[in-house]
Amino acid sequence: ETGVTQSPTHLIKTRGQQVTLRCSSQSGHNTVSWYQQALGQGPQFIFQYYREEENGRGNFPPRFSGLQFPNYSSELNVNALELDDSALYLCASSLRADQETQYFGPGTRLLVL
Amino acid sequence: GNSVTQMEGPVTLSEEAFLTINCTYTATGYPSLFWYVQYPGEGLQLLLKATKADDKGSNKGFEATYRKETTSFHLEKGSVQVSDSAVYFCALTSYQKVTFGTGTKLQVIP
């Protein structure tokens, strides 16, 4: 059973650019959630996807968007990057039947200059 | 909105000391409560959970009891080890939204 993987591990972008982060869910998991974790803070919920549809969203602007694919892998897209977008981005997968037990990936650290 | 408040760290303990990390919450509905742990250089791992009032979650010697009357979910361990050094996050889930606390760093010294 493979765990949750994310790519890339690190990324540097400049303000105004766009970025795509990728996540491969744990085998058999059909629900994925994305989080932003600023340095020294707890993760902040961005959104959740189930069966390729957004299934819940936190307080993030529309320039944060996502996709979930039929194989349950997913992407987080951030447009018009701002300096405050610098953070660790985590994805977590779970089963729809047990959404509360989430398995986290190691994260992608994004630095916006 | 929902919120989770944890005691601020860092917490430094000697090996075999008793650990308590306080966590209180505010939430609508009937949240489930969690403790996650983040070891240095690793991702978040679920440590334990409780889904209704008076439930006790336990794992690896850690325990926490869902106290609805005090809206608390304090994490305890009777005897900590150096390997328990990590950042601990309290969290809740309500209506498919997850809210985390800011984390408490624990350092256990030999």
Side-chain angles (χ1 to χ4, degrees):
Chain A
E1 181 180 88
T2 56
V4 178
T5 59
Q6 293 184 242
S7 63
T9 55
H10 296 82
L11 200 54
I12 300 175
K13 291 285 189 178
T14 56
R15 198 169 43 182
Q17 285 188 309
Q18 177 267 343
V19 69
T20 298
L21 310 181
R22 294 178 174 83
C23 173
S24 180
S25 297
Q26 185 157 318
S27 178
H29 285 185
N30 52 19
T31 302
V32 65
S33 301
W34 284 91
Y35 298 85
Q36 180 194 68
Q37 186 177 14
L39 202 60
Q41 300 295 315
Q44 298 290 314
F45 176 67
I46 303 175
F47 43 54
Q48 183 184 84
Y49 277 79
Y50 169 66
R51 286 191 175 178
E52 304 172 54
E53 297 283 337
E54 190 176 288
N55 189 44
R57 190 176 183 95
N59 296 324
F60 280 81
R63 61 189 184 86
F64 286 79
S65 63
L67 284 173
Q68 185 185 30
F69 300 101
N71 66 353
Y72 303 132
S73 65
S74 69
E75 291 180 353
L76 165 66
N77 298 290
V78 187
N79 293 323
L81 282 167
E82 301 176 0
L83 298 180
D84 285 349
D85 295 333
S86 296
L88 180 69
Y89 289 85
L90 300 167
C91 81
S93 72
S94 57
L95 286 167
R96 175 68 170 178
D98 184 17
Q99 290 180 55
E100 297 175 340
T101 303
Q102 298 190 63
Y103 297 83
F104 282 81
T108 294
R109 187 160 297 280
L110 172 65
L111 177 61
V112 182
L113 300 176
Chain B
N2 299 335
S3 68
V4 175
T5 303
Q6 290 182 236
M7 64 186 288
E8 291 194 15
V11 174
T12 301
L13 295 173
S14 297
E15 206 165 22
E16 299 183 3
F18 184 85
L19 168 71
T20 300
I21 300 178
N22 291 335
C23 171
T24 58
Y25 67 91
T26 58
T28 54
Y30 302 94
S32 294
L33 302 175
F34 304 82
W35 278 100
Y36 284 86
V37 58
Q38 190 170 36
Y39 297 104
E42 298 185 18
L44 279 168
Q45 300 176 28
L46 177 64
L47 181 59
L48 53 84
K49 70 176 185 180
T51 58
K52 61 183 187 298
D54 300 325
D55 270 2
K56 178 186 283 188
S58 61
N59 187 25
K60 298 182 181 179
F62 291 89
E63 292 183 341
T65 301
Y66 189 145
R67 300 286 187 201
K68 194 171 189 296
E69 64 277 12
T70 55
T71 61
S72 65
F73 193 55
H74 305 320
L75 182 68
E76 296 182 337
K77 186 174 186 182
S79 176
V80 293
Q81 305 300 311
V82 172
S83 58
D84 293 326
S85 297
V87 181
Y88 292 81
F89 292 92
C90 186
L92 68 85
T93 300
S94 180
Y95 298 108
Q96 299 170 337
K97 289 190 178 180
V98 184
T99 304
F100 280 86
T102 54
T104 302
K105 183 174 182 178
L106 170 66
Q107 183 176 14
V108 180
I109 55 177

